[in-house]
Amino acid sequence: MTSIGGPAVAGPLVGLVGAPATLLASSAGMTMSGLFAATIRRREENPRPTSERPRLRTEITEGLRFVLHRPALRAIMISDALFNLSLVMYQTMLLVFLERTVGLGPFGIGLVLSGMGCGALLGALAATTLARRIGQRPVIWLATLVTCPLAVLMPLAHPGWPLYGGAVGLAALSLGGVVRVVAQSSLQQSLTPDRLLGRMAATARFVSSGGVPLGGLMGGASGAAFGATATLWIGAAGMTLSALPTFLWWRGLSPRPGVHR
């Protein structure tokens, strides 16, 4: 709900009091969030001490080896990294495109971005049903392949009705992203022993999140070289192609016993 309401409120607030005051209001809200969290009185139980505590490097190596030796986990990790890189490239130039090319003001940009929150909410509601009907494994790559191409509706947009199509494309992108994450997270957990869950998640998150700063740099460089519209096309193509590793893994599945897929 915050993804829906946040952009919708931010746009009019920027128009009313200006961007600096809006940033201050946002900072105050995050500070209040931390203060509310500090009021939690229940303490988590400390884990039971073990006779031998492994070294951090050993744990990192074990988690990395576990993920790399499981085709399903490896494919999901690579797909996530490619998707995040392309998504950040796309988002880096999205605001520039909406303001300079489409001519939207703060209120209009806020409404368009709140549509992404609506798509994420619908994706969360539909994720379990889609995974059950389509299958948990194929829905991981199908969610990306079906929804990411719709992101090209935004660089095709211009003032008027085409802009609504661009907003629908962003909502579909968020919907597919949430469905994919829910399905792949469930699969990752089902393939990982309890004692390795933290190391598996840390390894996958570290590699997949590595695409975020790189995507920002590439998005800025691409925008400077080719323009915002071309960068949106490149980002949409990259997000669509990010389904390839998980699709190839799914196609390569076989019932051979003893092989972790």
Side-chain angles (χ1 to χ4, degrees):
M1 296 301 294
T2 56
S3 297
I4 299 172
V9 172
L13 194 60
V14 170
L16 182 65
V17 299
T22 302
L23 290 176
L24 288 175
S26 177
S27 300
M30 289 185 282
T31 302
M32 291 179 62
S33 174
L35 292 175
F36 282 125
T39 62
I40 299 175
R41 293 289 177 260
R42 182 173 179 177
R43 295 182 177 273
E44 296 287 339
E45 295 183 4
N46 294 325
R48 295 181 180 179
T50 57
S51 57
E52 182 179 353
R53 185 177 181 85
R55 295 182 178 180
L56 178 61
R57 181 180 298 179
T58 302
E59 293 183 333
I60 293 174
T61 302
E62 187 178 9
L64 183 62
R65 184 182 300 115
F66 179 81
V67 172
L68 292 179
H69 288 179
R70 268 64 181 180
L73 301 181
R74 184 173 65 244
I76 289 173
M77 182 178 65
I78 296 173
S79 287
D80 262 357
L82 294 174
F83 180 87
N84 288 338
L85 185 149
S86 302
L87 175 63
V88 174
M89 282 188 67
Y90 190 95
Q91 291 178 327
T92 300
M93 287 293 110
L94 178 58
L95 295 180
V96 177
F97 175 82
L98 290 174
E99 180 184 5
R100 298 183 182 178
T101 304
V102 182
L104 291 183
F107 181 73
I109 292 176
L111 288 179
V112 170
L113 295 183
S114 66
M116 297 183 71
C118 293
L121 177 61
L122 292 176
L125 295 174
T128 302
T129 301
L130 291 174
R132 184 172 58 249
R133 293 186 178 181
I134 299 175
Q136 184 187 50
R137 301 186 179 199
V139 82
I140 293 174
W141 60 269
L142 275 173
T144 300
L145 195 62
V146 170
T147 59
C148 286
L150 296 177
V152 302
L153 293 174
M154 181 53 71
L156 291 172
H158 53 79
W161 285 104
L163 181 59
Y164 292 99
V168 170
L170 293 181
L173 177 63
S174 294
L175 187 153
V178 171
V179 171
R180 174 182 61 85
V181 168
V182 170
Q184 72 184 26
S185 297
S186 298
L187 181 61
Q188 286 172 314
Q189 293 176 22
S190 68
L191 295 177
T192 306
D194 289 344
R195 71 178 190 88
L196 290 175
L197 278 174
R199 273 162 273 184
M200 178 278 297
T203 300
R205 182 66 60 87
F206 177 80
V207 175
S208 63
S209 298
V212 173
L214 183 59
L217 290 173
M218 293 178 62
S222 176
F226 309 114
T229 302
T231 302
L232 294 184
W233 279 95
I234 294 171
M239 287 185 286
T240 303
L241 291 175
S242 70
L244 189 59
T246 47
F247 170 73
L248 293 177
W249 154 73
W250 179 75
R251 285 292 301 271
L253 288 176
S254 63
R256 289 179 296 172
V259 178
H260 297 279
R261 295 289 183 180

